[in-house]
Amino acid sequence: RRLMARAALFLGPGQPFQHVSIPTPEPRGREILVRVTCCTLCGSDLHTHAGRRQEPTPSILGHEIGGRIEAFGPDAARWDASGTPAELGTRITWSVAVGCGSCFFCLHELPQKCQRPHKYGHSCATGPYALSGGLADYLLLVPGTSWFVIPDQLTDSVAVPANCATATVASILRQAGTISGQTVLVVGAGTLGATACAMVQSLGAQWVLASDPILSNRERARAFGATHALAPGPETVEAVALLTQGRGVDLVLELAGKWDSVQSSLKLVRTGGTVILAGTVSPTPMVPIDPEQLVRRMLTIRGVHNYHPLDLRTALDFLAGPGQSLPFASLVSARYALSDVEVAFQHAHSSGGTRIAVVPEFTPE
């Protein structure tokens, strides 16, 4: 008897989710059927839900996902992308984007920018891979997906956001250059920013400054390793000047995704420093840039979007290692059943920088 998967279909901004039942497919070839145990709502899910970014519809949203292996296709590997053995019931998570492996970008180590990608939580819920988002009981992993066994010591609340937030920070820091001994400014202290503070601290930064307008976010940043938690504007400017003798910080990680914070990031970095922009995943006003200043100050500006699958391995290793001493579980502030997805999104839009989880088998008290 075929399993039936409950799913919450997203039909478009302003429209209620449609609750449907979809027959689960028998995995073929290298496919793997996964029973979803947890899906956390990412900022990009909220942008799509609110209409700030466009995705195909109908779709099953949710790409920060964890689950247990329900069935292997006949040719599917019984080990993850790093060689760890797996069996039925093993908890796993996987890379958001699956590259084709043969286009220009895949061949140049940018599989997340594949010309023919499959993206979990971002695909139309039709055809053989209709079950492709986390807001459902089951999901089918397509061939070529990089999946990883979740370490036993990590709860779903800690491991599932690694699928996007922690792996994205790992990607940012892989491309940031030397961190040890540096002064780093993290702009935006939501889930991504708190994670960045923790990982930057673990890499030996001398000073970790977090700038955010929300007091609770600043307090959280301190709990995750920030040496200074600051309000944007004069407070941040003065702290940067004091700590760097007026030079500016070595590295800015702009994670807030707002035009004014991008502009201030360019002012607060030192000559020869680096600004990494990773928060702008929906349209914002243009930011004026003086090319002469870029040249004279010898600045490096880099955009980072998504991550290489190996960054997810780094993220899980960090959470199971140095991250264990930090309150990562607190980054998920509430859990809802799949039947309460409308309420979950309402809560997520006002959650103040924490994740909201949708747990298919969760039963509210």
Side-chain angles (χ1 to χ4, degrees), residues 271-325:
T271 294
T274 299
V275 176
I276 294 187
L277 308 178
T280 314
V281 293
S282 62
T284 63
M286 300 291 284
V287 177
I289 292 178
D290 182 346
E292 182 194 10
Q293 284 298 304
L294 292 186
V295 172
R296 291 190 181 278
R297 295 177 60 207
M298 301 175 66
L299 299 183
T300 298
I301 302 173
R302 181 155 196 167
V304 174
H305 188 229
N306 293 337
Y307 57 87
H308 190 284
L310 293 180
D311 295 318
L312 179 53
R313 174 76 277 162
T314 300
L316 292 169
D317 289 344
F318 168 77
L319 292 170
Q324 278 200 87
S325 63

Side-chain angles (χ1 to χ4, degrees), residues 136-189:
D137 285 321
Y138 293 91
L139 181 143
L140 190 65
L141 295 186
V142 306
T145 300
S146 293
W147 56 272
F148 296 92
V149 173
I150 296 174
D152 289 339
Q153 61 266 47
L154 299 183
T155 64
D156 279 352
S157 292
V158 172
V160 170
N163 182 298
C164 184
T166 324
T168 297
V169 174
S171 176
I172 291 167
L173 297 181
R174 177 170 55 83
Q175 298 174 71
T178 301
I179 300 295
S180 180
Q182 303 289 291
T183 298
V184 181
L185 172 62
V186 177
V187 180

Side-chain angles (χ1 to χ4, degrees), residues 112-151:
Q112 70 269 43
K113 292 297 160 187
C114 174
Q115 293 169 287
R116 298 175 293 275
H118 178 84
K119 295 188 72 177
Y120 294 101
H122 298 276
S123 303
C124 202
T126 56
Y129 296 116
L131 289 173
S132 190
L135 299 180
D137 285 321
Y138 293 91
L139 181 143
L140 190 65
L141 295 186
V142 306
T145 300
S146 293
W147 56 272
F148 296 92
V149 173
I150 296 174

Side-chain angles (χ1 to χ4, degrees), residues 41 190-191 217 220 330-334 347-348 351-356:
L41 303 181
T191 301
N217 283 2
R220 183 190 307 121
S330 68
L331 294 180
V332 175
S333 59
H347 191 166
S351 63
T354 58
R355 292 292 203 255
I356 301 301

